[in-house]
Amino acid sequence: MNPRTWVIRCGLLLAGAALLAGAQAALQPMPASYYQRSTAKPAAPTTAAGSVVSPAAADAHAAEVAGAKKQFDESTALFIDARPLENYREGHVPGAFHLDFQAFSKGTPETLGLLPRDFPLIVYCDGGDCDASHKVKTMLEANGYNQVTVLEAGFPGWKSANLPVETGDPAH
Amino acid sequence: MKSSAAAFANGTPGSVLLLLARLMGAAALLLAGVLKVKGGPLPFALAIDSFKLFPAWSHVPMAYFVPWFEIVIGTTLVLGIWARQSALLATGLLGSFTLALATVLARDLKVDCGCFSGLFGEAQVSWFSIARNSTFLVATIAVLVLGPGRFAVQPEKPDEPAAP
């Protein structure tokens, strides 16, 4: 088989895939929430070694956690844990739903049926570089949830503020 | 060497092994592709973003193209049509994925692979993901080197040269 045959066949296979991809892109455009998501993450207040990098960022995180605590106390938001299930079981915000990004890869998660669309939702993961909460937020917005925020400090920020923690499987 | 490889590939035991290799490689590609198309482009685009490997402008085109690429070459591989070319492209794709997974582990990133939409249960990229991909890679390389075997829609003629 000469090289030209290889090039033509590989080219046709690639072109076929590109054609099908183009058809899907025309029929199923990317949701607006993908383009609207924020890709800039606030700086973590501490390094992995624990030394404070930015006092301003630390203040911002403390204020954020205090705000989330207020919503928790007043029951004016639902919390969503976007971490892996084993992490959720070891400790989570009391009453938090478990909804990780992987659940969306298989289709519409059952948990969405339990979440009201017109109620504030706070999504968290491990803070720092963890972007699972942002991905879940983007997926929720693509599914019509418009009051979703991310707790950037994550579960570590919640726990280090000595706030209530629950363990065990999701109740929902 | 070449004629013994061709004789093995066109003999019954070799053809059975190559059929199994094609089925294994194709099953991985088809499953991955169909799951990604079914889930829509958004989850895969977000998964690509997590790898922090590719420029931002490429995420959306990749999210649309890669699943259909997996389906097309998975289909031609399982049928044994243009098998060596399909195997070459599959090897390139699987090799790239495996390399990307390895860099994620090396950078200690906690990333959802997005490969099979969580079907195998792993929450994040791990050595299991790499070992699994490497197995599929061995299968596609076997087809690339030896051809599709006799049990293919388009088997190779015994005297057909193996490579360019």
Side-chain angles (χ1 to χ4, degrees):
Chain A
M1 200 182 305
N2 63 52
R4 196 161 160 263
T5 305
W6 278 76
V7 170
I8 290 171
R9 288 183 179 181
C10 288
L12 285 172
L13 289 169
L14 288 164
L19 209 67
L20 290 165
Q24 186 194 6
L27 295 169
Q28 194 182 14
M30 197 66 88
S33 60
Y34 175 80
Y35 300 104
Q36 289 161 0
R37 79 196 195 288
S38 166
T39 50
K41 286 185 60 65
T46 59
T47 62
S51 60
V52 173
V53 170
S54 163
D59 287 343
H61 274 245
E64 183 200 32
V65 171
K69 171 69 166 56
K70 186 167 184 285
Q71 288 182 282
F72 174 80
D73 290 337
E74 294 171 357
S75 300
T76 51
L78 290 176
F79 286 76
I80 295 175
D81 193 318
R83 300 171 301 155
L85 188 58
E86 54 267 27
N87 293 43
Y88 177 95
R89 286 183 178 130
E90 288 167 8
H92 53 267
V93 173
F97 288 82
H98 178 255
L99 184 63
D100 59 15
F101 176 61
Q102 216 176 57
F104 288 94
S105 301
K106 297 171 191 168
T108 306
E110 286 176 9
T111 307
L112 287 196
L114 304 170
L115 297 173
R117 277 195 164 76
D118 55 355
F119 198 74
L121 305 174
I122 298 176
V123 189
Y124 67 87
C125 62
D126 283 322
D129 290 332
C130 179
D131 67 350
S133 49
H134 287 270
K135 292 198 294 193
V136 168
K137 175 177 182 275
T138 302
M139 296 305 300
L140 284 168
E141 287 170 343
N143 278 276
Y145 293 83
N146 296 318
Q147 296 190 59
V148 187
T149 54
V150 166
L151 180 64
E152 298 289 351
F155 188 66
W158 179 272
K159 213 171 149 189
S160 62
N162 297 315
L163 298 178
V165 167
E166 195 176 69
T167 57
D169 284 319
H172 320 282
Chain B
M1 175 92 169
K2 246 188 202 175
S3 59
S4 59
F8 172 77
N10 286 302
T12 301
S15 291
V16 168
L17 283 172
L18 287 168
L19 175 64
L20 288 172
R22 280 179 19 232
L23 286 173
M24 191 158 67
L29 291 163
L30 286 168
L31 192 61
V34 167
L35 286 173
K36 288 190 192 84
V37 168
K38 191 167 166 280
L42 181 56
F44 190 42
L46 293 174
I48 294 169
D49 188 33
S50 297
F51 276 68
K52 311 268 185 266
L53 265 180
F54 308 101
W57 60 261
S58 70
H59 297 173
V60 172
M62 280 176 66
Y64 281 108
F65 177 75
V66 169
W68 286 110
F69 186 46
E70 288 171 327
I71 290 172
V72 165
I73 57 177
T75 303
T76 52
L77 199 60
V78 73
L79 293 175
I81 298 172
W82 297 356
R84 284 192 198 256
Q85 289 78 26
S86 305
L88 174 67
L89 294 172
T91 301
L93 183 69
L94 287 168
S96 306
F97 276 159
T98 308
L99 205 61
L101 296 177
T103 66
V104 162
L105 283 181
R107 288 176 291 154
D108 201 29
L109 292 178
K110 306 282 186 283
V111 168
D112 175 7
C113 169
C115 308
F116 293 96
S117 304
L119 193 68
F120 290 95
E122 86 265 31
Q124 292 170 346
V125 172
S126 63
W127 287 110
F128 168 75
S129 319
I130 293 179
R132 181 194 59 209
N133 270 33
S134 301
T135 310
F136 298 138
L137 204 51
V138 166
T140 59
I141 289 172
V143 178
L144 173 61
V145 170
L146 295 171
R150 278 195 288 128
F151 307 126
V153 169
Q154 202 180 38
E156 284 173 358
K157 298 188 183 73
D159 58 354
E160 190 165 354

